[in-house]
Amino acid sequence: MLIFTLRRFNLFIFTMLLLTILSFSLSFLFPGDQLINLTGQINASPEQLAILADEYQQQSGLLSQYFSYLNHLFHGEMGYSMASQLPIATEVLNRLPATIELTSVALLVAMFFGIPIGFCAAIYHRKLPDNLILAIAMIGYSIPVFWLGILAILVFSIQLGWFPSAGQISLLFEIPHVTGLQLIDILLSDSPYKWQAFQDATRHLILPVIVVALAPATIFMRLARTAMLEVLDTHYIKAANAKGLTFSQIIYRHAMRNAVIKVIRDVGLQFANLITIAMVTEVIFSWPGIGRWLIESIYQRDYTAIQGGLIVLSTFIFIVHIIIDFVYAALNPLAREPRHGKR
């Protein structure tokens, strides 16, 4: 496990270095002055620019400038937003929890529904339920996210009035900011109306979560179906069948656990796709997350925000990927050392 951890740690460091090099390079590729693109100080006086140039080693070579940029990043200094003139770190801390809350719930919903339905498809292989589930998965994966989001608002918000169409919580409730995760903050608050606020926040969450979770859920269906079919075709399942175990005993005691492990291996790869869908969904539902902020920054040509958002969002995706790798390694010891499985 130690070697596995060190390997993932080295991969994390290498990826972060590549990300910072890309982010640093963007300051040269964006139009305008490189120092202003890096710091976001569009209203700085010549004296302030001279101080910034000295801090960022502008008179030295590229390598020195890059290490100076890294030093600022390590201290949480990602410059100022060109649009709001607020520190990028503050903007990110205000918005990242909303994205974490939305994507985490959507991932759990996608796994909760997608994996069992995929198992059912494998159990009824080449029968009507299997064909029906595959058709639904194909249709669900093919629906454009923006169209699904607009359709959900039109039907469930405007026509039926069941769910709110925008925002994270009604303005009637004032919840103190503690963790930034709305549901957690509501539970931690002392408000006498916190259960009403919790219900309101949940109603705001339902439609965006469904829109974000639909495509990953269809992918999990197909992954779970393939994994279960592979497991059912293994020798130990045939041996269990030969011993006289019932089909339900084989599925629940032997096949399901091993099939879930195979699906978990691919969850990390699907998380980047889920984040991309969440960014579009945040715009449609006016969700106050980092994805919506990043897309607005692109429209406003807020170069400092684009660089900071790129690093933060990529780091978040990679950390989730590593956490899932550790979960997979904990469930499957052979994954900790690939050579051990070849012996």
Side-chain angles (χ1 to χ4, degrees):
M1 194 66 183
L2 177 63
I3 294 174
F4 178 84
T5 304
L6 290 175
R7 194 185 299 137
R8 290 297 179 275
F9 181 73
N10 289 336
L11 183 62
F12 179 75
I13 298 296
F14 179 71
T15 307
M16 287 300 102
L17 278 176
L18 288 181
L19 276 174
T20 53
I21 290 172
L22 174 63
S23 175
F24 179 68
S25 304
L26 287 177
S27 64
F28 292 93
L29 299 175
F30 288 141
D33 185 83
Q34 187 261 339
L35 181 60
I36 293 177
N37 290 340
L38 209 58
T39 61
Q41 299 276 19
I42 54 176
N43 298 318
S45 63
E47 292 78 14
Q48 290 172 324
L49 285 176
I51 294 172
L52 288 173
D54 184 56
E55 288 181 358
Y56 281 87
Q57 303 286 323
Q58 292 290 296
Q59 307 303 325
S60 306
L62 274 178
L63 198 59
S64 299
Q65 293 180 36
Y66 171 67
F67 281 115
S68 174
Y69 172 67
L70 275 186
N71 184 44
H72 282 80
L73 282 183
F74 281 136
H75 289 85
E77 299 171 8
M78 293 185 283
Y80 288 80
S81 166
M82 292 179 174
S84 65
Q85 283 300 293
L86 290 173
I88 296 297
T90 304
E91 296 269 25
V92 167
L93 288 175
N94 287 337
R95 289 170 173 80
L96 185 61
T99 298
I100 292 175
E101 188 172 47
L102 175 63
T103 52
S104 302
V105 176
L107 181 64
L108 291 176
V109 168
M111 293 176 67
F112 183 79
F113 287 99
I115 294 175
I117 293 174
F119 287 165
C120 288
I123 292 170
Y124 293 98
H125 184 47
R126 293 181 179 173
K127 295 180 181 176
L128 179 61
D130 183 26
N131 295 332
L132 192 61
I133 290 170
L134 283 179
I136 292 172
M138 184 63 71
I139 294 170
Y141 185 74
S142 304
I143 296 175
V145 177
F146 67 92
W147 185 82
L148 179 64
I150 293 171
L151 185 67
I153 291 173
L154 181 65
V155 174
F156 296 105
S157 296
I158 298 176
Q159 297 290 338
L160 299 176
W162 290 354
F163 304 107
S165 61
Q168 201 175 10
I169 191 171
S170 173
L171 295 175
L172 293 172
F173 303 101
E174 188 173 348
I175 304 300
H177 183 94
V178 181
T179 64
L181 303 172
Q182 192 71 62
L183 297 179
I184 303 295
D185 285 353
I186 291 172
L187 293 177
L188 294 176
S189 72
D190 297 326
S191 171
Y193 304 104
K194 69 178 181 181
W195 292 114
Q196 289 88 341
F198 190 85
Q199 290 175 5
D200 186 78
T202 305
R203 290 179 68 245
H204 278 80
L205 192 60
I206 288 175
L207 282 186
V209 163
I210 291 173
V211 173
V212 174
L214 181 63
T218 59
I219 295 173
F220 289 140
M221 283 181 202
R222 298 167 72 176
L223 290 174
R225 177 181 178 274
T226 304
M228 180 60 86
L229 288 176
E230 288 177 0
V231 171
L232 291 177
D233 197 40
T234 54
H235 292 297
Y236 67 87
I237 293 293
K238 293 175 182 174
N241 191 27
K243 287 180 180 177
L245 293 181
T246 63
F247 187 70
S248 60
Q249 287 176 324
I250 292 173
I251 292 295
Y252 290 112
R253 293 184 184 177
H254 301 283
M256 196 171 286
R257 182 178 182 275
N258 293 315
V260 167
I261 291 173
K262 288 176 179 289
V263 177
I264 288 175
R265 181 183 55 191
D266 296 316
V267 170
L269 298 176
Q270 298 305 323
F271 191 73
N273 182 38
L274 190 142
I275 286 287
T276 307
I277 297 171
M279 290 176 67
V280 178
T281 306
E282 286 181 1
V283 174
I284 296 171
F285 288 92
S286 297
W287 190 262
I290 195 171
R292 176 187 168 207
W293 173 71
L294 195 53
I295 290 176
E296 287 176 351
S297 300
I298 294 170
Y299 280 120
Q300 295 170 346
R301 299 184 182 181
D302 190 343
Y303 304 129
T304 322
I306 294 171
Q307 294 173 74
L310 170 71
I311 288 181
V312 172
L313 211 52
S314 303
T315 305
F316 173 53
I317 293 171
F318 198 66
I319 287 174
V320 172
H321 195 116
I322 289 179
I323 290 173
I324 292 172
D325 271 359
F326 275 102
V327 172
Y328 176 64
L331 295 173
N332 181 16
L334 291 178
R336 301 170 200 165
E337 180 51 70
R339 286 178 298 174
H340 181 73
K342 296 179 181 177
R343 291 174 186 172

